[in-house]
């Protein structure tokens, strides 16, 4: 397999430790563990039965994508709670072809076929959108309008394209 081309079904297989995800996303292990304890990371690792018997905590690639979004937004001063919602919207949701989007679809944790996929989020309005390049300007306006000081815009193609290969590299594996 090419490093950057993990099969989509592999995105749902728990395989990555917190340390590997921290290296791949540029996050801090202690911060990520804190987010886990607060219940901000989506995934099967939140199962109390698994934690009670001491099974090592492994995360899916989708969880790593969520954490990558959270790390980027947190570095921009956005709260972990709001960043978690934005990361969840990207990494754990998707949709089929939509008439509203001219037939475009996005798989769970995936990106649009358009040139770029963007996450637009505004903490003060609690608006989070995942849009294509052609809809970016309108999404920024909807998110915050002309009077809001903080609107976060992330290139999800970069995150989606780089995190899987960084996970393998951080884990010392080849794809």
């Amino acid at each position: 397999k090419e490093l950057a081309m993990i099969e989509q079904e592999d995105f749902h297989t728990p395989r990555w430790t917190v340390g590997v995800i921290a290296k791949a996303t540029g996050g801090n292990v202690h911060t990520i563990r804190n987010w886990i304890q607060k219940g901000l990371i989506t995934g099967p690792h939140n199962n109390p039965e698994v934690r009670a018997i001491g099974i090592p905590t492994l995360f899916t690639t989708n969880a790593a994508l969520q954490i990558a979004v959270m790390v980027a937004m947190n570095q921009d001063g956005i709260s972990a709670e709001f960043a978690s919602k934005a990361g969840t919207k990207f990494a754990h949701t998707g949709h089929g072809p939509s008439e509203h989007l001219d037939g475009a679809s996005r798989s769970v944790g995936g990106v649009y076929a358009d040139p770029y996929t963007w996450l637009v989020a505004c903490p003060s309005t609690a608006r989070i959108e995942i849009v294509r390049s052609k809809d970016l300007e309108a999404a920024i306006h909807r998110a915050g309008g002309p009077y809001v000081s903080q609107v976060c815009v992330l290139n999800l193609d970069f995150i989606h394209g780089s995190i899987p290969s960084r996970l393998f590299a951080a884990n010392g594996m080849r794809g």
Side-chain angles (χ1 to χ4, degrees):
K1 278 185 217 179
E2 293 287 326
L3 286 178
M5 297 300 292
I6 296 176
E7 297 292 330
Q8 192 64 35
E9 57 268 14
D10 287 344
F11 275 45
H12 306 291
T13 303
R15 66 175 71 203
W16 311 112
T17 64
V18 171
V20 167
I21 290 176
K23 285 180 190 174
T25 63
N28 178 290
V29 171
H30 300 293
T31 300
I32 295 170
R33 286 194 175 133
N34 183 286
W35 293 344
I36 294 163
Q37 289 174 344
K38 289 181 176 182
L40 298 176
I41 309 298
T42 304
H45 58 275
N46 285 333
N47 182 338
E49 294 173 11
V50 170
R51 287 196 314 256
I53 58 176
I55 294 174
T57 303
L58 296 177
F59 297 85
T60 65
T61 301
N62 286 85
L65 292 171
Q66 177 189 4
I67 292 167
V69 168
M70 291 177 69
V71 167
M73 292 179 76
N74 203 244
Q75 289 171 346
D76 283 343
I78 295 173
S79 75
E81 290 76 12
F82 186 73
S84 173
K85 291 175 185 173
T88 297
K89 186 161 189 165
F90 168 54
H92 302 287
T93 66
H95 62 80
S98 167
E99 184 177 308
H100 170 69
L101 294 171
D102 305 321
S105 64
R106 185 182 71 78
S107 62
V108 174
V111 294
Y112 292 112
D114 281 4
Y116 294 102
T117 302
W118 301 91
L119 182 135
V120 178
C122 179
S124 63
T125 62
R127 189 170 186 100
I128 301 167
E129 288 188 64
I130 297 174
V131 299
R132 302 173 299 167
S133 290
K134 72 178 204 163
D135 303 317
L136 179 59
E137 187 175 336
I140 292 169
H141 183 72
R142 282 191 303 271
Y147 304 108
V148 173
S149 61
Q150 187 177 33
V151 175
C152 179
V153 179
L154 295 178
N155 181 333
L156 295 177
D157 287 87
F158 174 77
I159 291 171
H160 184 267
S162 65
I163 293 301
S165 59
R166 288 179 182 188
L167 288 166
F168 276 108
N171 202 40
M173 297 168 52
R174 296 180 102 131

